[in-house]
Amino acid sequence: MSTQPAGSPTWMDLGTHDLDGAAAFYGEMFGWSFDDQGEDFGHYNMITNNGAPVGGAMSSLMGPEGPTEEPQNPTAWTVYLHSDDIESTLNKITEQGGKIYYPAMPVGELGSMAIAEDPSGAAFGLWQPNQFDGFEFTGKHGSPVWFEAMVSDFDAALPFYREALGWDTHAMGGDENEEFRYVTNGEDRAATAGLCDASPWGDMPSYWRLYIGVDNTDESLEKLKELGGTVLDGPEDSPFGRLATVQDPQGASFQIIQIQE
C-alpha cells in the first residue's frame, strides 16, 4: 500500500482537443515525452520526463463510442488525489457535500480512478493505486512541484478536505490570517498541497491548479511565447521562487515556478 498522505496529489492529466499539438508544445517546453498506451486504454498517453512519470494526456475528441467532431470537455489539466479506499472516499465526498462526476473504475491493473467535485465547485480526480503509485517528484526542470485548490467558498471547502479526503490542515506560517486564508495538507516541508481562499480576487470559479518547476522562469516564459503559449499573469517573485501563470496553445492553464537550490 502507498505511504502517501491521505488526499495528496498523486497524478495529473491533460484533456485536450489537440493531442499532437500538446505533445509538441510540452515536449519543447519541458522535455516531456508522450507515449500512446494503445486502443485498450483509449489511446491515453503517459507523459514522462527523462523517464520519470509526470502525468497523462488524452484527446477530448474521444467519446465513449469513439472519435467525435466536437470536444467532450474544455482543454484543461485535472489533478488526482490519493485514496487508499476509493469507494469509501467517494461515500465521504457525498456525505460532506461534494459531487461525483464519474464513479470508481479500474484502469487495468494500475489502479482505480474517479472524478469528483468539492462543495465550492472545484473538480478533481481520485486515484487508488494498485501497480502504479503516480508521478515522481524529481526536483528537476519539468517536474510537478506543487498543487493547490483555489476556492470561492473556503468555509465549505476546508472541512470537506479534512473529513472527506483526510487532510491534516495547517495554516500557512501557523497564522490564521482572515485576510489571506491558506492551509496546507501537512506542515512545512511535509506539506503536499494547498487550499487557498480565492474570494478576495472576486467572482471566479473554484479549481485545482498545478505548478511545474523550471530552471529559469524568465527564459521559460520566452520559450513559451515562441511556442504559441500565453502569459496570463506575472512573472513575480515569491518566497518559494519566481513564478507565473501561463496557458498552453490549446487553452490549458498552469503555473511555472523557478526551482530553488
Side-chain angles (χ1 to χ4, degrees), residues 163-177:
E163 299 302 325
L165 279 302
W167 277 29
D168 174 27
T169 57
H170 297 265
M172 180 176 283
D175 179 22
E176 291 284 355
N177 188 333

Side-chain angles (χ1 to χ4, degrees), residues 74-208:
T75 293
W77 284 97
T78 299
V79 176
Y80 290 75
L81 307 181
H82 172 82
S83 172
D84 285 333
D85 185 337
I86 198 167
E87 293 292 355
S88 175
T89 301
L90 289 172
N91 288 335
K92 291 177 183 177
I93 285 172
T94 55
E95 290 170 1
Q96 296 299 321
K99 297 178 181 178
I100 309 302
Y101 285 157
Y102 298 103
M105 61 173 289
V107 182
E109 297 299 318
L110 300 178
S112 296
M113 63 158 289
I115 304 292
E117 181 184 277
D118 72 25
S120 76
F124 60 91
L126 290 174
W127 180 252
Q128 179 184 328
N130 183 19
Q131 296 181 355
F132 182 71
D133 283 339
F135 48 58
E136 293 181 19
F137 288 104
T138 65
K140 299 184 183 299
H141 182 87
S143 175
V145 294
W146 187 245
F147 302 84
E148 63 193 5
M150 306 293 291
V151 297
S152 59
D153 189 346
F154 188 84
D155 292 329
L158 180 57
F160 172 84
Y161 284 97
R162 285 173 175 161
E163 299 302 325
L165 279 302
W167 277 29
D168 174 27
T169 57
H170 297 265
M172 180 176 283
D175 179 22
E176 291 284 355
N177 188 333
E178 287 297 321
E179 293 184 2
F180 178 68
R181 296 193 291 174
Y182 193 105
V183 301
T184 57
N185 179 32
E187 193 171 17
D188 299 329
R189 289 188 175 274
T192 63
L195 179 68
C196 179
D197 179 5
S199 61
W201 287 281
D203 187 16
M204 59 177 282
S206 299
Y207 67 103
W208 270 87

